[in-house]
Amino acid sequence: MDNTTLDLVFPAVGGREVVSRNDGGDITSDAGLLLVSLADKKLGLTRGMARAVTDHRDQDKVTHHIIEMARERIYAICQDYEDANDLDTLRHDPALKTACKRLPKTGEALASQPTISRFENMPGGGDQLRMGIAMARRVISQLPARTRRIIIDVDPTEDPCHGQQEFEFFNGHYGVHCFLPIHIHMTGDDGRQRILGSLLRPGNAGPTKGLYSALRIAIRLVRERLPYVQIILRADSAFGVCDVLDFCEDMGIDYILGMKGNNVLHDLSAPVQMDACLKYKWEGNGCREYGSVLYKAGSWRHARRVVVKAEITQGELNPRFVVTSLENLSALEAYEFYCARGEQENRIKEMKLDLSSGRTSCHRFLANQFRLLLHTAACMLMGVLQESLAGTRFAKAQVGTLRTRLLKVGARVVETARKIWFHLPSSFPAQNAWIRMYAALAAD
């Protein structure tokens, strides 16, 4: 039976049958892809990515160019189509075709799943390195020219594996077979946290595997644009080790890193911890004390400032330590500045849940790294859309909310000799926000 002509009968309304049939023609549920395309044009993201890949195919026989396949795959991820199998149908969608610069009705269909799968296995390690640099450079270009301080947050996360992927290993900390990608985010003076890059790593990778090379590139790119900006590395206690501290000082950047406690630190911070205990005795829960000590581990070049927070939780003393080069902050200010790194965890969760970055199910490790780059690119584009909503009720909306409220919009698409019309619903409740987004993205 032809499903396009299959009638589905619903309960009658006003004495009349309600019947659905898949013969509406050029109708899309993803008109928001027009805005995604504008965000890409404003950032120059897919163009920069495509230039980084060497295409060894015979160009006389190429139907689907690198930039078109990159756009098709990334735009689909933005709209929650993370599975390449979805493109077997979506390649005919008028909104996706228009966003990828093909005519919605008379233009040739976009790439199908087999072509996209070959595309995901095409870029080698050098291609992906150049691609990641091009992506990061465009994100850095969004920073205001007068930016004086940049915070770089790094954090790993588990990416569970369910097959025979290369370099998937059992990780005892997370209790699963997984990859262990590391994500790098950047926050400038404008307060907006932007993803700078993602690096896929084996499931048994140590905390600093791949960190130094990624940070060297990030620091170099930042200083290309802003030579005199202050750069601060912020991360949890997995990174508060001698090698990372030495690296930061060698690169001329500041740091504020979590640090695991030891007997010497507990002894040095005993006065702060005693103050917390005394306050708890008189005031009860909620008492916190902050202080700083100078500490030098046996492997350290010199003594460094360690901030201590002492707090009684559930009747037990719970001291925490942070090592930092920031001398201009009080102990309280330094610890609160460190705690603000929790915002990156929200961004990572957003990327995993709303942009399905865990779809690293290819067999080859390099193909999975490329998939992660594609999801990272989608995250960058969604970030541009979020910024375009500044001053509206959607200014702090997460990716999932942004998609369902603003991008998942139905439209009837009409292609004429001179124009391509997208007829959106007259009752669209977020129409004003749509217009606001268009104005921000279309501006030079």
Side-chain angles (χ1 to χ4, degrees):
M1 180 180 295
D2 184 359
N3 288 333
T4 61
T5 59
L6 178 64
D7 291 348
L8 304 179
V9 182
F10 295 87
V13 175
R16 302 182 186 183
E17 277 190 346
V18 178
V19 183
S20 74
R21 178 183 287 184
N22 294 336
D23 62 352
D26 293 324
I27 297 176
T28 182
S29 61
D30 294 295
L33 284 169
L34 297 178
L35 296 174
V36 175
S37 178
L38 273 183
D40 184 19
K41 181 181 178 183
K42 188 178 186 69
L43 193 58
L45 187 65
T46 55
R47 186 168 298 280
M49 294 175 69
R51 287 174 178 170
V53 179
T54 303
D55 191 351
H56 297 286
R57 298 176 297 171
D58 185 347
Q59 297 302 303
D60 292 334
K61 299 179 181 179
V62 168
T63 302
H64 305 288
H65 294 280
I66 297 291
I67 191 169
E68 294 170 343
M69 291 188 289
R71 285 172 175 166
E72 179 184 1
R73 189 73 171 98
I74 293 168
Y75 295 176
I77 292 170
C78 289
Q79 289 293 75
D80 203 25
Y81 302 112
E82 77 279 2
D83 195 330
N85 290 327
D86 294 328
L87 296 173
D88 277 339
T89 301
L90 281 173
R91 68 197 190 104
H92 302 288
D93 183 87
L96 185 57
K97 290 174 68 176
T98 303
C100 294
K101 312 303 180 188
R102 294 203 175 188
L103 294 174
K105 186 175 183 65
T106 59
E108 189 173 351
L110 297 170
S112 62
Q113 177 271 323
T115 303
I116 292 296
S117 293
R118 288 191 292 271
F119 169 59
E120 290 176 341
N121 282 271
M122 177 188 296
D127 291 326
Q128 294 192 39
L129 175 60
R130 291 190 297 272
M131 192 178 296
I133 291 173
M135 293 164 61
R137 185 172 277 126
R138 277 154 179 79
V139 173
I140 293 169
S141 71
Q142 294 179 282
L143 291 169
R146 295 184 178 181
T147 299
R148 303 185 64 174
R149 186 184 74 173
I150 289 176
I151 305 162
I152 295 179
D153 289 293
V154 298
D155 202 15
T157 186
E158 86 282 10
D159 176 5
C161 299
H162 308 284
Q164 299 298 318
Q165 293 101 312
E166 290 180 344
F167 301 116
E168 63 85 12
F169 294 110
F170 181 79
N171 187 291
H173 177 73
Y174 295 104
V176 293
H177 286 263
C178 63
F179 294 124
L180 203 63
I182 190 169
H183 299 286
I184 302 175
H185 287 76
M186 171 188 66
T187 307
D189 293 343
D190 57 358
R192 177 166 290 277
Q193 193 170 67
R194 301 173 173 91
I195 189 164
L196 198 58
S198 302
L199 178 66
L200 194 67
R201 306 184 303 169
N204 61 354
T208 61
K209 183 176 178 62
L211 174 70
Y212 303 124
S213 57
L215 285 179
R216 283 191 184 93
I217 293 171
I219 293 167
R220 173 171 60 83
L221 294 177
V222 166
R223 286 177 172 162
E224 275 183 9
R225 170 108 198 283
L226 304 163
Y228 305 108
V229 72
Q230 179 190 20
I231 301 174
I232 305 171
L233 177 66
R234 183 169 60 184
D236 64 20
S237 59
F239 300 92
V241 296
C242 178
D243 288 345
V244 177
L245 300 176
D246 290 345
F247 171 84
C248 291
E249 292 175 355
D250 291 342
M251 295 297 295
I253 68 173
D254 288 301
Y255 53 84
I256 185 162
L257 307 168
M259 187 175 176
K260 297 177 181 178
N262 57 44
N263 291 335
V264 176
L265 279 173
H266 285 294
D267 290 342
L268 289 172
S269 62
V272 181
Q273 298 188 41
M274 286 296 295
D275 286 345
C277 292
L278 291 172
K279 276 195 173 182
Y280 175 75
K281 180 178 180 180
W282 295 107
E283 301 178 20
N285 287 322
C287 298
R288 299 174 182 175
E289 281 295 305
Y290 299 88
S292 298
V293 299
L294 277 179
Y295 170 73
K296 181 184 183 303
S299 58
W300 288 11
R301 297 172 176 171
H302 54 81
R304 294 178 170 105
R305 182 191 184 199
V306 175
V307 172
V308 57
K309 183 199 79 168
E311 180 180 15
I312 309 293
T313 56
Q314 297 180 345
E316 294 185 3
L317 183 60
N318 182 28
R320 299 294 180 91
F321 302 95
V322 172
V323 57
T324 182
S325 63
L326 301 174
E327 300 293 341
N328 61 323
L329 300 179
S330 68
L332 171 60
E333 292 170 336
Y335 196 84
E336 289 181 341
F337 181 79
Y338 168 75
C339 289
R341 61 168 296 277
E343 185 62 22
Q344 187 193 21
E345 296 179 0
N346 293 330
R347 301 284 75 76
I348 293 174
K349 184 183 297 184
E350 192 174 30
M351 185 170 172
K352 292 172 70 174
L353 297 180
D354 293 338
L355 291 170
S356 304
S357 63
R359 290 306 298 266
T360 48
S361 53
C362 295
H363 172 67
R364 295 178 62 244
F365 185 79
L366 272 178
N368 285 320
Q369 170 64 75
F370 184 48
R371 277 196 176 185
L372 183 60
L373 279 180
L374 294 173
H375 286 266
T376 302
C379 188
M380 291 175 175
L381 291 184
M382 296 301 283
V384 176
L385 293 177
Q386 289 170 321
E387 291 183 45
S388 72
L389 290 164
T392 73
R393 62 191 177 100
F394 295 106
K396 296 185 178 180
Q398 293 186 338
V399 167
T401 303
L402 183 64
R403 178 193 294 131
T404 55
R405 300 297 299 274
L406 294 171
L407 301 185
K408 286 290 184 181
V409 184
R412 179 169 57 89
V413 185
V414 178
E415 177 187 328
T416 68
R418 294 184 178 180
K419 291 185 179 181
I420 300 170
W421 293 91
F422 276 72
H423 297 278
L424 274 64
S426 302
S427 58
F428 179 35
Q431 187 178 52
N432 290 336
W434 233 74
I435 295 172
R436 175 69 175 267
M437 290 174 73
Y438 168 79
L441 295 170
D444 293 334

